[in-house]
Amino acid sequence: MAGSNGKQKSVRNMVLSLGVTVLAAGVMYLFVPHEDGTPDLPRVDYRVELLTARRAAPYGVEAPEGLPDTWKATSVRFQGDKNDAWHLGFHAPDGEYVQIEQSTQEPAPFIEEASQGAQPTKVTQSIDGMTWTRYTGGRYDALVRQQADVTTVVAGTGSFEQLTEMAEALKAK
């Protein structure tokens, strides 16, 4: 029975080692800082992309003017080879997301993609003399304006008040 004593010691040593490891991991966890909020997204300067898009697109590319600095631009792209698609994304003051999407693509699939599958409602609103249709969805809500040569979608997780604020600020030059 001399062998059983050695096995007991090795099991005991393994349990003690495991306990020390768990204790050390717990202490490290307590002293490592944790971020509870969302990460701070960097502000992007979209002026160059906007100028490029306005020169290249066959429609009036729109961007907001006069929004408070609390609206932070976080993403921008112009894809001339993909139906002259313009995208400008913003982090709203309350942390919600609002984006502007414009394209010459056929309206139905473009709206579907830009609004993340939101569905049209019977509610319309006039902004600067133009009719916008409200769309509601599980992920995004949207305001949609269709013109002969371009479809504009203002969509995101923000409220309809925020979407309207963005749509009111849009200007084409």
Side-chain angles (χ1 to χ4, degrees):
M1 293 296 221
S4 68
N5 190 17
K7 287 182 183 177
Q8 288 176 343
K9 283 185 177 180
S10 64
V11 169
R12 181 175 156 257
N13 288 343
M14 188 169 60
V15 170
L16 286 173
S17 295
L18 182 62
V20 169
T21 303
V22 169
L23 182 63
V27 168
M28 286 181 5
Y29 178 81
L30 290 174
F31 290 104
V32 172
H34 304 285
E35 301 232 2
D36 292 334
T38 58
D40 187 31
L41 299 171
R43 182 181 301 267
V44 298
D45 184 356
Y46 58 89
R47 292 177 294 184
V48 172
E49 287 87 350
L50 178 59
L51 289 172
T52 301
R54 284 181 171 165
R55 285 187 194 124
Y59 59 86
V61 173
E62 295 182 312
E65 289 183 8
L67 282 178
D69 285 342
T70 52
W71 285 81
K72 184 192 301 186
T74 58
S75 60
V76 61
R77 73 181 160 273
F78 176 70
Q79 296 173 301
D81 61 333
K82 293 186 180 177
N83 300 302
D84 296 303
W86 169 246
H87 161 86
L88 185 56
F90 282 83
H91 193 247
D94 65 352
E96 297 297 333
Y97 179 72
V98 176
Q99 67 182 11
I100 301 113
E101 303 280 344
Q102 287 186 286
S103 179
T104 58
Q105 182 181 353
E106 182 182 328
F110 173 67
I111 294 167
E112 169 81 17
E113 183 180 339
S115 71
Q116 300 283 316
Q119 297 297 311
T121 68
K122 295 180 191 265
V123 179
T124 61
Q125 62 188 86
S126 179
I127 300 172
D128 292 331
M130 304 292 282
T131 301
W132 294 75
T133 302
R134 286 187 176 194
Y135 280 61
T136 59
R139 181 170 175 161
Y140 284 178
D141 288 329
L143 293 174
V144 176
R145 181 185 73 210
Q146 294 183 51
Q147 296 170 281
D149 59 343
V150 65
T151 302
T152 304
V153 178
V154 176
T157 59
S159 66
F160 276 109
E161 290 77 23
Q162 289 172 316
L163 300 178
T164 300
E165 183 179 357
M166 179 61 76
E168 289 172 339
L170 292 179
K171 303 291 183 249
K173 291 188 177 180

